[in-house]
Amino acid sequence: MREISASLIVETVARLAVEACCRLPSDLREMLDHSARQETSPLGRDVLRQLVENADIAAAESMPLCQDTGLAVVFADIGQDVHVIDGDFEEAVHKGVARGYGKGYLRASVVAEPLFERANTGDNTPAIIHTRLTPGDRIHLTLAPKGAGSENKSALAMLVPADGIEGVKRFVVDTVRAAGSSPCPPMVIGVGIGGNMEVAALCAKRAAARSVRSRNPDPRYARLEDELLGLLNGLGVGPQGLGGDTTAFKVNVEWRPTHIASLPVAVNINCHAARHAEAVL
């Protein structure tokens, strides 16, 4: 049994919060450059170049890529041979988010209750925490801040098996078309297929946080990722919704087993930054 202190979790989450909000992942930085060279729309090309400049300034000045520094979504794969000492794991994550958002001067965007008072908690807590128990003695943390502009355009459909692959493609395309410029395209799209209502949504969320260099290990789903990307870029929404070839950088698909009578599909949309940062303890 390996011991990991709660204080280390606090420090790591605080660091990841600032890193995720201020530094564009290297794969996305390269994708921006590539897309700016390939984009045929002069206006779209100019927008992409401005996004590159924005990312470089944010990294150099340690300033947020966007004023909406989002809900802190934390994926935690916890090894079954880990024992967290000197504190509670989830409390440590919340403390880390509060510390990172405070020290990084990141906007606090969480309200304590969603419908009536909607009072801001003041420190961007609580975080959204998704945990999995895994083999080994390590903790793998991914912090993916999620802003409202993209999250609000995400969607879930409870399709039936008869809808098939064409129904899935139609739902994904219709969701992105309806989103238009609101998610600050070019987007990174996570698609979750299967499971039930909540599992499909979680698959889509995990998929949206994957690298744009990644591919689904199942070749059938990898082909679906490529096909969906082609369909979305054919919509002509373009960078920031101003028209062009680059509506999305990447579509990532995750799937899970499902009921014989079900075909749940979720679409989780990320803006062009698709912010996330990772650490292994």
Side-chain angles (χ1 to χ4, degrees):
M1 183 68 68
R2 178 166 172 261
E3 294 182 342
I4 295 178
S5 69
S7 61
L8 179 59
I9 295 168
V10 173
E11 293 169 8
T12 303
V13 170
R15 174 175 58 81
L16 293 179
V18 176
E19 180 181 339
C21 288
C22 299
R23 291 187 178 275
L24 195 68
S26 60
D27 56 347
L28 278 165
R29 176 63 174 75
E30 292 171 9
M31 185 69 75
L32 274 174
D33 268 337
H34 174 76
S35 298
R37 291 193 298 270
Q38 299 295 317
E39 177 61 57
T40 59
S41 162
L43 184 55
R45 193 161 54 246
D46 184 55
V47 168
L48 290 166
R49 288 171 177 163
Q50 290 183 52
L51 294 178
V52 170
E53 182 181 8
N54 178 74
D56 290 345
I57 292 172
E61 304 282 343
S62 195
M63 296 174 62
L65 288 152
C66 173
Q67 81 280 359
D68 185 352
T69 49
L71 280 168
V73 179
V74 177
F75 297 104
D77 290 346
I78 303 175
Q80 62 187 4
D81 297 322
V82 168
H83 180 213
V84 176
I85 60 171
D86 301 327
D88 172 80
F89 172 76
E90 291 201 353
E91 182 182 359
V93 171
H94 297 316
K95 285 182 177 178
V97 167
R99 181 179 297 179
Y101 274 73
K103 288 190 173 181
Y105 299 100
L106 308 174
R107 193 181 81 182
S109 302
V110 177
V111 295
E113 177 277 321
L115 190 58
F116 296 101
E117 293 88 0
R118 290 187 64 87
N120 197 301
T121 62
D123 61 5
N124 220 57
T125 66
I128 305 293
I129 305 173
H130 301 293
T131 58
R132 291 190 300 200
L133 191 63
T134 59
D137 62 357
R138 299 287 187 271
I139 296 178
H140 185 169
L141 296 171
T142 302
L143 195 151
K146 195 64 190 296
S150 57
E151 187 73 359
N152 288 351
K153 295 301 180 179
S154 300
L156 171 75
M158 299 303 292
L159 303 183
V160 296
D163 291 315
I165 191 170
E166 293 305 318
V168 170
K169 290 190 287 188
R170 183 165 54 250
F171 174 66
V172 174
V173 170
D174 288 348
T175 299
V176 174
R177 179 187 290 114
S181 63
S182 295
C184 295
M187 310 168 215
V188 175
I189 310 291
V191 178
I193 303 172
N196 55 5
M197 181 181 71
E198 71 271 20
V199 170
L202 184 53
C203 282
K205 180 75 73 176
R206 288 186 181 276
R210 268 174 39 198
S211 167
V212 293
R213 296 194 187 103
S214 67
R215 288 176 65 80
N216 193 291
D218 185 319
R220 299 168 300 175
Y221 286 90
R223 286 193 296 271
L224 179 60
E225 290 174 341
D226 293 341
E227 186 174 358
L228 286 169
L229 181 62
L231 291 171
L232 298 182
N233 283 334
L235 292 174
V237 175
Q240 298 296 291
L242 297 175
D245 311 313
T246 319
T247 297
F249 286 137
K250 185 67 166 63
V251 178
N252 290 328
V253 177
E254 299 284 333
W255 61 273
R256 294 293 183 272
T258 191
H259 190 280
I260 57 173
S262 294
L263 182 59
V265 183
V267 177
N268 195 260
I269 298 176
N270 261 331
C271 69
H272 69 274
R275 296 167 295 187
H276 60 275
E278 302 179 46
V280 178
L281 305 179

